[in-house]
Structures are given as C-alpha cells and as structure tokens.
Amino acid sequence: SAREFLDIQLSHISHHFEAVFSSVSDYGEPKTAHFYLEVCRRLGVSPRQVVHVGDSRDFDYEIPRQAGITAFHLDRKHGGDSYVVGNLLEFVHRLREL
C-alpha cells in the first residue's frame, strides 16, 4: 500500500512494528526482489533472517523467496500446503515450527 493508506490502516497497531516499508511510496516500484533486499539491508539483517507473509502469491510469496526470504502465502480459502497458510494463527504456528 501507499504510505498514506498504511498510516491509516496501521494507526491502532503501529506500536507493534519497529519499521514499516511501502514499496510504492518509499522505492517507487512494486514489490520486487530488489525491494525486499533493500529492506533487509536497511534493517541490517540477511534475507535468511526474515519471514514474510502476504496474500499475493507473486508479490508476497514468489518474489520474496527469490530474494532468499522464507515466505508464506496467506490464502484463506486454500491453506494447508507447506508454505500456504489459511489464517494468521496458522502462520504463527508455522513460525514456531521453524
């Protein structure tokens, strides 16, 4: 999302996040492997230290995996595959397994 929307969407939970990045607003591009690697660089972590979850199979699962990030596809209708989760509680369970 653009930064303007993120600020509204996260207004009640922003205190839970150390940093929030918008590929569109901060980097002027969609989520690309370059974007994910740049976020890792700015956070001072390697891609292998990052776990990402999102509802876009391409932008939140395939592309982060290309950057070396462990990624999960949030598919509320078809969860259950090894890197597909049906909800965020299932995602937490998978994180604990890692």
Side-chain angles (χ1 to χ4, degrees):
S1 292
R3 173 102 11 225
E4 298 82 24
F5 296 114
L6 285 174
D7 291 342
I8 294 167
Q9 292 169 329
L10 300 176
S11 64
H12 298 302
I13 60 171
S14 61
H15 61 280
H16 292 289
F17 299 95
E18 182 176 319
V20 176
F21 300 92
S22 166
S23 64
V24 175
S25 297
D26 300 339
Y27 296 93
E29 64 185 22
K31 294 178 189 173
T32 62
H34 172 264
F35 164 73
Y36 285 105
L37 291 171
E38 181 61 19
V39 167
C40 290
R41 186 191 69 74
R42 288 197 45 205
L43 293 174
V45 299
S46 75
R48 294 191 185 280
Q49 293 175 287
V50 175
V51 178
H52 181 75
V53 64
D55 61 0
S56 169
R57 179 134 181 110
D58 292 330
F59 293 116
D60 294 319
Y61 177 70
E62 298 290 344
I63 293 172
R65 288 177 55 86
Q66 291 171 10
I69 292 172
T70 299
F72 288 87
H73 178 215
L74 177 62
D75 184 343
R76 297 181 192 277
K77 296 179 184 175
H78 302 91
D81 197 358
S82 59
Y83 284 95
V84 177
V85 292
N87 57 59
L88 294 179
L89 290 175
E90 185 180 349
F91 173 65
V92 170
H93 177 72
R94 297 284 183 87
L95 282 178
R96 290 183 177 138
E97 291 175 348
L98 292 176

